[in-house]
C-alpha cells in the first residue's frame, strides 16, 4: 500500500485498515473504549456516509453497509466493479477529511426509567456488589450523564458509556431466555436498553416505558450515536400512564 | 379484488416473506436480512421476469402449502424437495423446480419436506406486494417488522401479489438446470482466514479446517452452529464489541463455532476464526441440521476472483431482467 499524506490527521492517529473478509474492510481506532474514541468513530462514520452520498470520482465505489462500534468501523462493499486498493484509498481519504462534529449541540435525551422492584430484577445484587443501598445505587445511576457510543446487537439497542465506575458489575453467567422490552441493563462498564423481549445476559436495574425502536417511526431508533443521555427516575404509576410498548 | 393473492394453507415451521434485505441500516442495529439463500431467490425471480429483489416466500425444512386466489405465475427454487400442483379441476401433477408454473385461481401448490438442503423459495411473477419497511420487504423477526406483519406466516394469511414484472417468464435452460442440480451436493464451504486467528491460536484454526463438522439443529437465520469442532479457546475470549459480517465464523468461549447468517446481530464480541467467502454465503442458508461441513481455506484474492467467476457464470446461465426502475442504491440513513 503506498503511503498516503494526510492533510489533517497525522499518520500515527490514522485508523488501521484490515480486510477481515473478501469484501469487508475493518477500520480500528486505537485509544481504547472511551468517549474520545467513540467520537472519532462517529466522525469517521459521518465522513464515509458523506463520501457515499457524493460518489467517489474516477471509479465507482459501492458501499453495502457501514457498522460503527466502540473503536471501529466495518465497511462492506458490493461486489460489482470491486477493486480493493481503490476501496482502501477512498476510505483513507474520507477518514483524513473527517471533521469533528460540533459537540456542544449534541442533544441531551432524557429516558424515563422505573427502578421499581418489579422491573429492577438485578438491582439488589448490583447494589450489594457496589456496597450501596438500592436507593443510593439508583441515585448514582440516574445522576450520571451517558453517551451513546453506537447502536448494535438488535435494532435500536444503544451501547452507552458513562456508567459511574463503582456501579460496574459483570454480566450474568448465563443469559435469561427473555428480558422485558425497555429493560435497562448493565454489563461491565456498559449500560444498554433492550428494545424488545429478547434473550439477554445484562443485569437488569430498571425499565423504560419508551419504545426504543419503532420501524414505523422516522427515525426508527429513539437514540442516535453521539446522543447524551440521562435516566430520569419515574414511579410505577407514571410508568403505567405512559408505557408505549407491550409488556 | 380485496382477497386476491396467495393464501397460506399450511405454513411449515418458519415461512417468511423475504427479498434481498436492507443492508443500509446496520448502523442502527438492523440486520441486513433477506433470503438466506439469496441466489435461489434471484434465480426464481429472473425466470419469472421479476427484478432480482422482488419479494418471495422462504420456507424452511418442511415446506408449505398455498392456494392461489387469482391467476398467477410462480417458480420454485432452493433446496431439493418434492412439490405438486393440485388444480381446482381436481387434476394434480408434479411441480418441477425452476421452470415457471402457470397457476389459476383455486389451484394449490404444495412443497413437501425438503430432501436435502434447508430452504425452498416460492417466487411469484410481480412479487409479493407487502409494504416495504426501511427500504425492503424482508421480514425482520428480531424487530417484528417488515414482510407480512413482521412474523412467520400462519394458516389463513393472504399475501398480495404485485404488478412489477419486466419481461416474460422463461424456461431455465439446460446449463442452469445442471448447475442447480449440483449446487447443494457438496459439503465444502470456502473460507478466508479470520482476523483473530493470532489471538485464538494457529492450532485451533488448522484444527477447524481439518475436521468434518456437523450442522447443529440449534441453527437459524441468525447463525448456524457447528458441532464436532473440538477446539479449545481462551476462557476469557471476548473482544471489544465490533461490527460483524454475514459469513463470519465466531468462536465463543464454549468452543462451538457459529457461522453468522443473514439475520446476525450487527455487532458482537466473540473472536472471528474464519469468514465464509462471498460466493458461498448462499450455502449458509442451505446448511441442514445433521449435514456434514468441511471448511476449505482460500486466500483473499482467490475469494474475490471466485466471486467474479460465479457472478459471471450466473449471468450467463440466468441473465438478469432489464428493469425500468433503477437498481437498489445503498441506503444512506
Amino acid at each position: 500500500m503506498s503511503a498516503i499524506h494526510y492533510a489533517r490527521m497525522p499518520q500515527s492517529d490514522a485508523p488501521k485498515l484490515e480486510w477481515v473478509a473478501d469484501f469487508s474492510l475493518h477500520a480500528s481506532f486505537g485509544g481504547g473504549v472511551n468517549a474520545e474514541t467513540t467520537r472519532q468513530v462517529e466522525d469517521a462514520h459521518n465522513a464515509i456516509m458523506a463520501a457515499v452520498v457524493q460518489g467517489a470520482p474516477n471509479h465507482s465505489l459501492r458501499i453495502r453497509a457501514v457498522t460503527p462500534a466502540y473503536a471501529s468501523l466495518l465497511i462492506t462493499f458490493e461486489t460489482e466493479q470491486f477493486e480493493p486498493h481503490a476501496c482502501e484509498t477512498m476510505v483513507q481519504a474520507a477518514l483524513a477529511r473527517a471533521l469533528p462534529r460540533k459537540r456542544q449541540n449534541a442533544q441531551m435525551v432524557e429516558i424515563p426509567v422505573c427502578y421499581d422492584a418489579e422491573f429492577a430484577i438485578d438491582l439488589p445484587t448490583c447494589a450489594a456488589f457496589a456496597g450501596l443501598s438500592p436507593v443510593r445505587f439508583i441515585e448514582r445511576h440516574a445522576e450520571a450523564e451517558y453517551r451513546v457510543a453506537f447502536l448494535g446487537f438488535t435494532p435500536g439497542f444503544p451501547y452507552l458509556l458513562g456508567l459511574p465506575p463503582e456501579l460496574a458489575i459483570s454480566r450474568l453467567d448465563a443469559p435469561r431466555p427473555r428480558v422485558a422490552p425497555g429493560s435497562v441493563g448493565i454489563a461491565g462498564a456498559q449500560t444498554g436498553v433492550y428494545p424488545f423481549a429478547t434473550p439477554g445476559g445484562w443485569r437488569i436495574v430498571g425499565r423504560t416505558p419508551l419504545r426504543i425502536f419503532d420501524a414505523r417511526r422516522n427515525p426508527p431508533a429513539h437514540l442516535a450515536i453521539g446522543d447524551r443521555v440521562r435516566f430520569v427516575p419515574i414511579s410505577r404509576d407514571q410508568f403505567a400512564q405512559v408505557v408505549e410498548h407491550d409488556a | 379484488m380485496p382477497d386476491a393473492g396467495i393464501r397460506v394453507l399450511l405454513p411449515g415451521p418458519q415461512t417468511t416473506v423475504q427479498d434481498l434485505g436492507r443492508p443500509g441500516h446496520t448502523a442502527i442495529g438492523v440486520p441486513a436480512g433477506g433470503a438466506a439463500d439469496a441466489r435461489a431467490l434471484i434465480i426464481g425471480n429472473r425466470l419469472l421476469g421479476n427484478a432480482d429483489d422482488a419479494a418471495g416466500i422462504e420456507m424452511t425444512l418442511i415446506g408449505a402449502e398455498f392456494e392461489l386466489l387469482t391467476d398467477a405465475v410462480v417458480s420454485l427454487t432452493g433446496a431439493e424437495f418434492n412439490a405438486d400442483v393440485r388444480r381446482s379441476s381436481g387434476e394434480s401433477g408434479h411441480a418441477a423446480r425452476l421452470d415457471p408454473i402457470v397457476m389459476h385461481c383455486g389451484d394449490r401448490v404444495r412443497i413437501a419436506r425438503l430432501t436435502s438442503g434447508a430452504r425452498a423459495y416460492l417466487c411469484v411473477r410481480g412479487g409479493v406486494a407487502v409494504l416495504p419497511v426501511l427500504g425492503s420487504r424482508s421480514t425482520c423477526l428480531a424487530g417484528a417488522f417488515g414482510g407480512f406483519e413482521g412474523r412467520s406466516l400462519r394458516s389463513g394469511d393472504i399475501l398480495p401479489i404485485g404488478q412489477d414484472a419486466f419481461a416474460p417468464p422463461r424456461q431455465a435452460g439446460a446449463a442452469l438446470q445442471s448447475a442447480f442440480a449440483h449446487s447443494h451436493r457438496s459439503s465444502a464451504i470456502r473460507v478466508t482466514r479470520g482476523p483473530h486467528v493470532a489471538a485464538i491460536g494457529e492450532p485451533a484454526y488448522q484444527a477447524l479446517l481439518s475436521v468434518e463438522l456437523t450442522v447443529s439443529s440449534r441453527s437459524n437465520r441468525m447463525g448456524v452452529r457447528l458441532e464436532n469442532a473440538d477446539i479449545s479457546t481462551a476462557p476469557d475470549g471476548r473482544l471489544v464489541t465490533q461490527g460483524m459480517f454475514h459469513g463470519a465464523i465466531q468462536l465463543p468461549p464454549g468452543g462451538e463455532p457459529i457461522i453468522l447468517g443473514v439475520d446476525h446481530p450487527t455487532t458482537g464480541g466473540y473472536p472471528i476464526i474464519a469468514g465464509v467467502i462471498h460466493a458461498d454465503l448462499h450455502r449458509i442458508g442451505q446448511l441442514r441440521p445433521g449435514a456434514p461441513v468441511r471448511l476449505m481455506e482460500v486466500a483473499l484474492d482467490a475469494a474475490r476472483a471466485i466471486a467474479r467467476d460465479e457472478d459471471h457464470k450466473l449471468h450467463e446461465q440466468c441473465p438478469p431482467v432489464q428493469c425500468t426502475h433503477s437498481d437498489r442504491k445503498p441506503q444512506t440513513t
Side-chain angles (χ1 to χ4, degrees):
Chain A
M1 210 185 305
S2 57
I4 309 284
H5 177 69
Y6 293 100
R8 287 193 179 82
M9 201 184 293
Q11 194 80 25
S12 57
D13 284 356
K16 263 183 36 184
L17 299 185
E18 182 187 1
W19 289 100
V20 292
D22 42 5
F23 295 92
S24 289
L25 184 64
H26 187 249
S28 341
F29 296 74
V33 176
N34 52 56
E36 179 50 40
T37 308
T38 63
R39 284 186 200 109
Q40 283 182 35
V41 172
E42 185 191 348
D43 294 336
H45 182 224
N46 290 337
I48 298 289
M49 297 315 295
V52 169
V53 170
Q54 287 155 21
N58 303 324
H59 58 81
S60 54
L61 177 75
R62 301 188 50 174
I63 287 180
R64 179 172 172 78
V66 187
T67 306
Y70 281 122
S72 62
L73 207 59
L74 181 72
I75 304 162
T76 299
F77 294 91
E78 298 285 2
T79 60
E80 289 170 38
Q81 298 171 285
F82 170 83
E83 207 291 301
H85 296 304
C87 293
E88 291 159 16
T89 303
M90 181 285 292
V91 170
Q92 284 165 336
L95 296 182
R97 282 196 305 272
L99 291 172
R101 189 170 70 122
K102 286 195 166 61
R103 294 251 136 60
Q104 58 270 30
N105 294 333
Q107 64 168 355
M108 168 69 84
V109 181
E110 291 192 338
I111 304 279
V113 176
C114 181
Y115 291 93
D116 200 78
E118 180 189 344
F119 300 147
I121 46 188
D122 294 318
L123 185 54
T125 315
C126 293
F129 187 78
L132 298 171
S133 67
V135 166
R136 185 68 194 126
F137 185 99
I138 293 166
E139 278 175 8
R140 285 297 286 127
H141 190 257
E143 71 193 12
E145 179 177 311
Y146 300 82
R147 174 191 162 79
V148 179
F150 64 96
L151 304 181
F153 162 63
T154 200
F157 184 102
Y159 281 80
L160 299 166
L161 291 178
L163 182 73
E166 65 270 27
L167 305 189
I169 181 170
S170 67
R171 67 185 64 218
L172 297 171
D173 287 339
R176 291 188 170 90
R178 184 187 185 278
V179 164
S183 291
V184 177
I186 294 175
Q190 307 169 109
T191 299
V193 187
Y194 286 90
F196 312 104
T198 53
W202 293 31
R203 309 256 185 188
I204 305 306
V205 298
R207 194 181 302 176
T208 180
L210 299 182
R211 232 182 237 284
I212 294 298
F213 184 89
D214 185 344
R216 300 160 300 181
R217 217 167 41 195
N218 188 15
H222 188 74
L223 293 171
I225 188 171
D227 280 350
R228 294 150 59 214
V229 173
R230 193 177 290 283
F231 295 115
V232 176
I234 61 171
S235 69
R236 188 74 182 79
D237 285 344
Q238 289 170 318
F239 182 98
Q241 281 160 26
V242 301
V243 66
E244 293 177 347
H245 47 71
D246 315 312
Chain B
M1 278 187 285
D3 278 354
I6 301 174
R7 169 154 54 205
V8 178
L9 297 177
L10 292 175
Q14 187 173 82
T15 298
T16 53
V17 174
Q18 301 294 348
D19 59 13
L20 295 180
R22 47 179 75 81
H25 301 279
T26 57
I28 59 170
V30 175
D37 179 354
R39 190 169 177 273
L41 182 82
I42 288 169
I43 289 169
N45 276 327
R46 288 182 181 179
L47 294 173
L48 292 171
N50 289 345
D52 283 358
D53 66 355
I57 303 170
E58 174 179 278
M59 295 162 274
T60 312
L61 293 176
I62 300 182
E65 186 177 359
F66 305 94
E67 178 184 0
L68 270 296
L69 302 179
T70 185
D71 292 355
V73 188
V74 303
S75 65
L76 302 172
T77 61
E80 294 176 41
F81 46 80
N82 290 317
D84 52 62
V85 169
R86 294 150 194 235
R87 303 289 178 184
S88 56
S89 60
E91 300 166 46
S92 67
H94 172 68
R97 287 189 302 160
L98 294 179
D99 287 341
I101 304 167
V102 175
M103 305 285 285
H104 300 292
C105 181
D107 291 348
R108 296 179 176 195
V109 57
R110 186 176 67 108
I111 295 87
R113 182 179 291 268
L114 274 55
T115 53
S116 78
R119 292 195 172 78
Y121 294 86
L122 185 150
C123 295
V124 61
R125 182 172 162 75
V128 174
V130 293
L131 286 180
V133 179
L134 292 179
S136 164
R137 295 186 167 91
S138 288
T139 309
C140 179
L141 293 170
F145 65 83
F148 188 87
E149 299 180 2
R151 58 168 175 78
S152 295
L153 300 182
R154 300 176 192 147
S155 298
D157 287 344
I158 297 175
L159 305 177
I161 300 172
Q163 306 296 317
D164 293 334
F166 300 92
R170 60 180 133 105
Q171 301 294 99
L176 182 61
Q177 291 280 5
S178 170
F180 212 74
H182 295 115
S183 63
H184 307 299
R185 300 285 164 80
S186 168
S187 64
I189 301 239
R190 292 163 295 189
V191 301
T192 51
R193 167 181 288 256
H196 308 128
V197 171
I200 292 166
E202 188 70 28
Y205 179 58
Q206 293 304 327
L208 188 69
L209 297 175
S210 63
V211 300
E212 183 175 272
L213 303 154
T214 306
V215 177
S216 167
S217 59
R218 286 165 294 115
S219 299
N220 55 34
R221 284 176 50 87
M222 288 172 57
V224 173
R225 289 177 188 269
L226 298 171
E227 294 166 349
N228 306 332
D230 196 26
I231 305 173
S232 58
T233 183
D236 59 349
R238 272 193 74 93
L239 308 168
V240 171
T241 302
Q242 56 193 250
M244 286 289 136
F245 52 93
H246 183 196
I249 303 182
Q250 293 178 323
L251 195 63
E256 203 171 67
I258 306 168
I259 309 179
L260 297 189
V262 280
D263 277 352
H264 69 87
T266 55
T267 57
Y270 296 138
I272 300 169
I273 192 169
V276 175
I277 70 170
H278 179 88
D280 282 351
L281 290 177
H282 66 100
R283 293 179 172 284
I284 301 171
Q286 295 295 355
L287 290 177
R288 176 190 183 82
V293 174
R294 295 207 75 104
L295 301 180
M296 270 179 43
E297 182 183 27
V298 300
L300 268 185
D301 284 343
R304 290 160 179 158
I306 294 168
R308 272 195 303 275
D309 284 348
E310 302 269 336
D311 278 352
H312 184 70
K313 268 193 244 170
L314 182 63
H315 199 103
E316 302 238 301
Q317 291 159 1
C318 191
V321 170
Q322 296 300 321
C323 303
T324 52
H325 63 241
S326 55
D327 290 335
R328 186 198 300 285
K329 289 186 169 53
Q331 301 286 330
T332 56
T333 54

